[in-house]
Amino acid sequence: MTRHLHLNAFLMSTGHHEASWRLPESNPFANTEVEHYRELARIAERAKFDSIFFADSPVLLGDIGRRPAGSLEPTVLLTAIAAATSRIGLIATASTTYNEPFNLARRFASVDHVSGGRAGWNVVTTAGPEAARNFNLSDQPAHAERYERAAEFLEIAFKLWDSWEDGAAIADKAAGVWGDNERVRPIDHLGRHFQVRGPLNLPRAPQGYPLIVQAGSSEDGKGLAARYAEAVFTAQQTLADAQAFYADLKARTSALGRDPDGIKILPGIVPVIGSTETEALALERELDELIKPEYARAQLARTLRVSPDDLPLDQQLPAELPDEDEIEGAKSRYTLIVSLAHREKLTVRELIGRLGGGRGHRTFSGTPEQVADAIQDWFDQGAADGFNIMPAVLPSGLVAFAEHVVPLLQERGLFRREYEGTTLREHYGLARPVGRTSSLQEATA
Amino acid sequence: MTRHLHLNAFLMSTGHHEASWRLPESNPFANTEVEHYRELARIAERAKFDSIFFADSPVLLGDIGRRPAGSLEPTVLLTAIAAATSRIGLIATASTTYNEPFNLARRFASVDHVSGGRAGWNVVTTAGPEAARNFNLSDQPAHAERYERAAEFLEIAFKLWDSWEDGAAIADKAAGVWGDNERVRPIDHLGRHFQVRGPLNLPRAPQGYPLIVQAGSSEDGKGLAARYAEAVFTAQQTLADAQAFYADLKARTSALGRDPDGIKILPGIVPVIGSTETEALALERELDELIKPEYARAQLARTLRVSPDDLPLDQQLPAELPDEDEIEGAKSRYTLIVSLAHREKLTVRELIGRLGGGRGHRTFSGTPEQVADAIQDWFDQGAADGFNIMPAVLPSGLVAFAEHVVPLLQERGLFRREYEGTTLREHYGLARPVGRTSSLQEATA
């Protein structure tokens, strides 16, 4: 059977390039305008993308001079988009560190109900002390602690989503019995981080569970992904690194007794598309020249946990940097950036240019054919099950990908021409979780 | 100037009467079907209602045999409805006891953005030990403690909603400056219950703040309403009680230095409408006869904190009941039910019939003229600024009210024929909160 690749559109205000908002074509207030996102979703749906996705963190970070700041809460935004679309999956990021499992499990189940089975949840543990300070803490919980809480949070969510059996609402009008009490049961969870009685106050959702997505590539992150994730977003700069990550995560998944096909690995790619390679490179250069380095340097300093003064623009990174082990924040992103700078001996200014497009994700500039080749190359060589498409400029970069790259992928037999199913799980070729069965069904099974 | 009354449609699955789902016309799965609610919202919007509203509690309570159980999370549901409507206000219930201020403030601001300024928040403190057990507690915090936390929660929310000045996003493409850092500031809240640094990660919302709604009628509830609420939902059975509540709450509001016109008081009414009074009473009787008393008795016992065995159906309430002071749950609802039973010397069975329609809210059966008279009577006699319309059966009860009662109220000059504004605050005649001003504006003001 031919493998088909999966495409997710990672949407962000005027695009992933930090200077995209400065282009004449860009609406700099798009970050709070629902119609902007509805239009992007319609473009992605016409191109038969599996899903759209919003990143999120419950904190305002950095300098708001730099680029459009602040964003609509993703479950709200995706619900607003659901009504304007009918098939495309809707993946929202939400934190297990700064939410309660009951509330979040219910919210995702609600999005799944209102969208007819199109909800996905990108599970994050939210790095950084800044977010912690919005939630009664002076610093973030330790990295391992956050991942331990995330695992327990997910276990509770699964139990809550299964707390109603399918068909528990029997609606017998004549007998005056709406629901079957035997088929809706408390979960009585008592763990290290949480105590949750349940059941959920919502019948089981169309997909059973939302699609579980994970994007942390640290050791803890890969552990969580291998155990629970069904799709993984990852930042990989080279084919070799991507192949190693892919093989590692599939092996970890198998080792836990899961089917490695049940976890779809989607590296990020920032495609900058031109009708010629020269045109694409010119657009990339135009964007990079609009970057104001002082903003980017301040963010780089925050990621590296050093002072901006330690990062002169025309020198390489300082020799003395923390080990990944000392980083309690976004560990894998930290390592990726330091490796990139060291491997290519980049100055701070050059590094900033490389990070400006995709914050560590791979930028690829070229013609539609070149972009399609780059995608097929990684897909064929065991580096990816699909891609997280991160247009540098929105909507134009998504339009270019949808109109010029997707048809090539379709012609090559790599990508669907029509949706086959209606739910997000069906797009990714994943089964609906079975859920609980009644004691009667268990007895006769 | 003529006073105009305000109408809110309180929506709930197949209607407020607990047996409404058993009618042949009712869709018993409506509670999880977004299209059902979109259609109700369109009906209410065509009739120029100020708003629609969903109650909520983060717990599944009681016997699911009784009536449609479980519900979509209200901010998700109202967002899904927003796209199908353009003017009507959207009021969601959310708990200050079982949420974090940062998350909830952002969620309501997001709903306000995506709806173009139509969000309202019914602030509840969530009574009962059952909800507490979904949130790591073995029992609920004490009543006074919950209200103290609610006040602090609201103060934080206001600060977060004002943490971005209007116009802080300047989007100067040429200069490469998107936002003005001077106009987006941390809130640095440090209180008894919460520590929240801020700012919010979202520009200021169209309404500034969502409309603040409150529905607790206990002493603590009235105190919170007088201080913060802009609309109040209340259950009142008699004109005299409603007048006393109205006068008391307006006086408390004035005493705090607020304009008493800035708080709109909307008693609930469950209208059962027929083309003749006989027809209306027949519908009410049909519904009451569909009630299964064992379900309702179990709920009554829970409210009264006694055992169902202490409530023989054909006897009056037991003499020994807790004082309101001992109730840590829904205090005012408790007192209303006990008073009603004592005043009218009702048996448990009769009391259950009276509560079956509106759970303590006033049921009124009659012709459209009689319903309009009942509304005008309370409105003219200082008992109400408007009404919380709670149709016994949905959609038919809302259709009857919209098509037959609203035109009468319009003919009498009591209710709008067209929306004058676009935001929920405008419908209720309330100003947009000013928010912070920059130090420059302050200096020149």
Side-chain angles (χ1 to χ4, degrees):
Chain A
M1 204 182 93
T2 321
R3 274 171 79 220
H4 286 94
L5 62 80
H6 300 281
L7 294 177
N8 174 70
F10 180 175
L11 305 180
M12 179 183 281
S13 64
T14 55
H16 284 271
H17 195 288
E18 67 166 275
S20 57
W21 69 274
R22 297 183 67 189
L23 293 176
E25 73 187 65
S26 292
N27 170 8
F29 303 111
N31 58 318
T32 52
E33 293 183 6
V34 66
E35 196 43 53
H36 170 72
Y37 290 111
R38 286 204 184 109
E39 182 55 24
L40 294 175
R42 284 188 285 250
I43 293 164
E45 187 170 76
R46 280 198 297 270
K48 317 300 175 196
F49 273 64
D50 294 69
S51 47
I52 60 171
F53 159 68
F54 294 102
D56 196 57
S57 189
V59 63
L60 185 72
L61 276 181
D63 191 322
I64 68 160
R66 184 181 188 189
R67 62 175 300 168
S71 54
L72 300 164
E73 192 281 323
T75 62
V76 168
L77 177 53
L78 286 164
T79 300
I81 290 171
T85 55
S86 62
R87 302 295 277 276
I88 197 163
L90 309 164
I91 302 174
T93 298
S95 171
T96 52
T97 304
Y98 303 118
N99 277 291
E100 283 291 331
F102 190 93
N103 288 337
L104 204 60
R106 184 182 181 210
R107 201 128 51 85
F108 275 103
S110 296
V111 176
D112 205 50
H113 275 286
V114 305
S115 67
R118 296 189 282 141
W121 172 18
N122 177 40
V123 180
V124 297
T125 66
T126 311
E130 299 86 357
R133 293 183 195 123
N134 288 333
F135 296 92
N136 314 314
L137 300 171
S138 52
D139 200 356
Q140 64 185 326
H143 195 269
E145 178 85 6
R146 293 205 313 278
Y147 275 88
E148 186 190 284
R149 178 179 157 118
E152 188 180 335
F153 196 116
L154 276 163
E155 294 287 350
I156 296 165
F158 296 141
K159 290 182 202 172
L160 287 169
W161 290 324
D162 287 339
S163 63
W164 288 61
E165 290 178 18
D166 290 317
I170 53 179
D172 185 337
K173 289 184 179 184
V177 178
W178 185 81
D180 179 351
N181 284 292
E182 297 297 307
R183 298 168 74 184
V184 179
R185 281 163 290 188
I187 68 168
D188 287 322
H189 175 89
L190 177 56
R192 207 180 135 224
H193 298 266
F194 300 105
Q195 191 174 340
V196 179
R197 177 152 163 77
L200 199 61
N201 53 349
L202 186 56
R204 198 159 189 265
Q207 290 190 112
Y209 310 163
L211 184 80
I212 302 297
V213 181
Q214 215 277 339
S217 298
S218 67
E219 282 300 304
D220 291 328
K222 285 188 281 194
L224 192 77
R227 203 159 143 208
Y228 300 110
E230 299 168 302
V232 171
F233 299 149
T234 180
Q236 302 293 337
Q237 286 281 340
T238 68
L239 174 63
D241 284 352
Q243 286 169 323
F245 178 85
Y246 186 96
D248 179 34
L249 195 48
K250 295 278 181 175
R252 287 175 193 244
T253 303
S254 290
L256 291 171
R258 292 182 59 201
D259 177 0
D261 268 355
I263 183 167
K264 307 298 182 188
I265 299 176
L266 288 80
I269 183 168
V270 181
V272 181
I273 301 168
S275 54
T276 63
E277 188 174 345
T278 308
E279 191 184 307
L281 290 169
L283 173 57
E284 186 180 356
R285 196 165 47 247
E286 179 188 2
L287 283 164
D288 286 349
E289 284 170 0
L290 288 172
I291 294 177
K292 294 183 66 166
E294 59 271 34
Y295 293 142
R297 183 169 66 166
Q299 164 144 350
L300 182 62
R302 206 163 45 237
T303 302
L304 300 179
R305 307 272 166 213
V306 300
S307 154
D309 298 337
D310 297 335
L311 300 175
L313 283 170
D314 295 307
Q315 295 180 24
Q316 294 185 26
L317 293 187
E320 293 286 312
L321 284 174
D323 282 342
E324 179 177 308
D325 288 350
E326 295 168 41
I327 297 290
E328 284 298 337
K331 277 180 190 282
S332 59
R333 190 58 50 88
Y334 171 84
T335 300
L336 181 145
I337 290 171
V338 173
S339 306
L340 171 66
H342 287 166
R343 186 174 62 242
E344 306 194 15
K345 303 203 190 331
L346 302 174
T347 65
V348 168
R349 191 188 300 277
E350 290 165 339
L351 180 61
I352 284 169
R354 292 290 293 276
L355 297 177
R359 303 176 314 286
H361 285 272
R362 174 186 180 211
T363 297
F364 187 93
S365 299
T367 63
E369 287 74 14
Q370 288 172 320
V371 173
D373 289 347
I375 284 174
Q376 181 164 8
D377 186 38
W378 283 32
F379 181 66
D380 285 345
Q381 296 199 55
D385 296 311
F387 286 85
N388 194 15
I389 305 300
M390 303 169 57
V393 185
L394 288 168
S396 63
L398 184 63
V399 171
F401 190 91
E403 293 184 355
H404 301 293
V405 180
V406 167
L408 297 175
L409 299 173
Q410 289 169 331
E411 282 165 25
R412 297 178 191 185
L414 295 171
F415 192 60
R416 69 174 70 81
R417 288 175 187 275
E418 288 300 335
Y419 291 110
E420 285 162 24
T422 61
T423 70
L424 174 54
R425 292 187 164 276
E426 287 169 337
H427 303 337
Y428 278 97
L430 297 165
R432 181 175 189 265
V434 172
R436 285 196 197 181
T437 50
S438 71
S439 41
L440 180 65
Q441 288 173 287
E442 280 158 13
T444 57
Chain B
M1 203 182 94
T2 322
R3 277 171 77 220
H4 286 94
L5 62 78
H6 300 282
L7 294 177
N8 174 71
F10 179 175
L11 305 180
M12 178 184 281
S13 64
T14 54
H16 284 271
H17 195 289
E18 66 166 276
S20 56
W21 71 274
R22 297 184 66 190
L23 293 176
E25 72 187 65
S26 292
N27 170 6
F29 303 111
N31 59 316
T32 52
E33 292 183 8
V34 66
E35 196 44 53
H36 170 72
Y37 290 111
R38 287 202 183 110
E39 181 56 23
L40 294 175
R42 284 187 286 251
I43 293 164
E45 186 170 76
R46 280 199 297 271
K48 316 302 175 193
F49 273 64
D50 294 69
S51 48
I52 60 171
F53 159 68
F54 293 102
D56 197 57
S57 188
V59 63
L60 185 72
L61 276 181
D63 190 323
I64 69 161
R66 184 182 187 190
R67 60 175 299 166
S71 53
L72 300 163
E73 193 281 324
T75 63
V76 168
L77 178 53
L78 285 164
T79 299
I81 290 171
T85 55
S86 62
R87 301 295 276 277
I88 197 162
L90 309 164
I91 302 173
T93 298
S95 171
T96 53
T97 304
Y98 303 117
N99 278 290
E100 284 291 330
F102 190 93
N103 289 338
L104 203 59
R106 183 180 182 212
R107 200 128 51 86
F108 275 104
S110 297
V111 176
D112 206 49
H113 275 287
V114 304
S115 66
R118 297 189 282 141
W121 173 18
N122 176 41
V123 180
V124 297
T125 67
T126 311
E130 299 85 358
R133 292 183 195 125
N134 288 334
F135 296 92
N136 313 315
L137 300 172
S138 51
D139 201 355
Q140 63 186 326
H143 195 269
E145 179 86 5
R146 293 205 313 276
Y147 276 88
E148 186 191 284
R149 177 178 158 120
E152 189 180 335
F153 196 116
L154 276 164
E155 294 287 349
I156 296 165
F158 296 140
K159 291 183 201 172
L160 288 169
W161 291 323
D162 286 340
S163 63
W164 288 61
E165 289 178 18
D166 289 317
I170 53 180
D172 184 338
K173 288 184 179 183
V177 178
W178 185 81
D180 179 352
N181 284 292
E182 297 297 308
R183 298 168 76 183
V184 179
R185 281 163 291 189
I187 68 167
D188 287 323
H189 175 89
L190 178 56
R192 205 178 138 227
H193 297 268
F194 300 105
Q195 191 175 340
V196 180
R197 179 155 161 75
L200 199 62
N201 54 350
L202 185 56
R204 198 158 188 266
Q207 290 190 111
Y209 311 163
L211 184 79
I212 302 297
V213 182
Q214 215 276 337
S217 297
S218 67
E219 282 300 303
D220 291 328
K222 284 189 282 193
L224 191 78
R227 204 161 143 205
Y228 299 110
E230 299 168 302
V232 171
F233 299 149
T234 180
Q236 302 293 337
Q237 286 280 339
T238 69
L239 175 63
D241 284 351
Q243 287 170 322
F245 178 85
Y246 186 96
D248 179 34
L249 194 48
K250 295 279 179 171
R252 287 176 193 243
T253 303
S254 290
L256 292 170
R258 291 181 61 200
D259 177 359
D261 268 356
I263 182 168
K264 307 298 183 187
I265 300 176
L266 290 79
I269 183 169
V270 182
V272 181
I273 301 167
S275 54
T276 63
E277 188 176 344
T278 308
E279 191 183 306
L281 290 170
L283 173 56
E284 187 180 354
R285 196 165 46 247
E286 180 187 1
L287 283 164
D288 286 350
E289 284 170 0
L290 289 171
I291 294 177
K292 294 183 68 168
E294 59 270 34
Y295 293 142
R297 182 168 68 167
Q299 164 144 352
L300 182 62
R302 205 162 48 236
T303 302
L304 300 179
R305 307 272 167 217
V306 299
S307 154
D309 298 338
D310 297 335
L311 300 175
L313 282 171
D314 294 308
Q315 295 181 23
Q316 293 184 27
L317 294 187
E320 294 285 313
L321 284 173
D323 282 342
E324 179 176 308
D325 288 350
E326 294 168 41
I327 298 291
E328 285 297 337
K331 275 181 191 283
S332 59
R333 190 58 50 88
Y334 171 81
T335 300
L336 181 146
I337 290 171
V338 173
S339 304
L340 171 66
H342 287 166
R343 187 172 62 243
E344 305 193 15
K345 301 201 187 344
L346 302 174
T347 65
V348 167
R349 191 188 301 275
E350 289 164 340
L351 179 61
I352 284 170
R354 291 291 292 277
L355 298 176
R359 303 176 314 287
H361 286 272
R362 176 187 179 210
T363 297
F364 187 92
S365 299
T367 63
E369 288 75 14
Q370 289 172 321
V371 173
D373 290 347
I375 284 174
Q376 181 164 8
D377 185 40
W378 283 32
F379 181 65
D380 286 345
Q381 295 200 56
D385 295 311
F387 286 84
N388 194 16
I389 306 300
M390 303 168 58
V393 184
L394 287 168
S396 62
L398 184 63
V399 170
F401 190 91
E403 294 185 354
H404 301 294
V405 180
V406 167
L408 296 175
L409 298 172
Q410 289 168 331
E411 282 165 25
R412 297 179 192 185
L414 295 171
F415 192 60
R416 70 174 69 83
R417 288 176 188 273
E418 286 302 334
Y419 291 108
E420 286 162 23
T422 60
T423 70
L424 175 54
R425 291 187 164 276
E426 288 169 336
H427 303 337
Y428 278 97
L430 297 165
R432 182 174 189 267
V434 171
R436 285 196 198 182
T437 50
S438 71
S439 40
L440 180 65
Q441 289 174 285
E442 279 157 15
T444 57

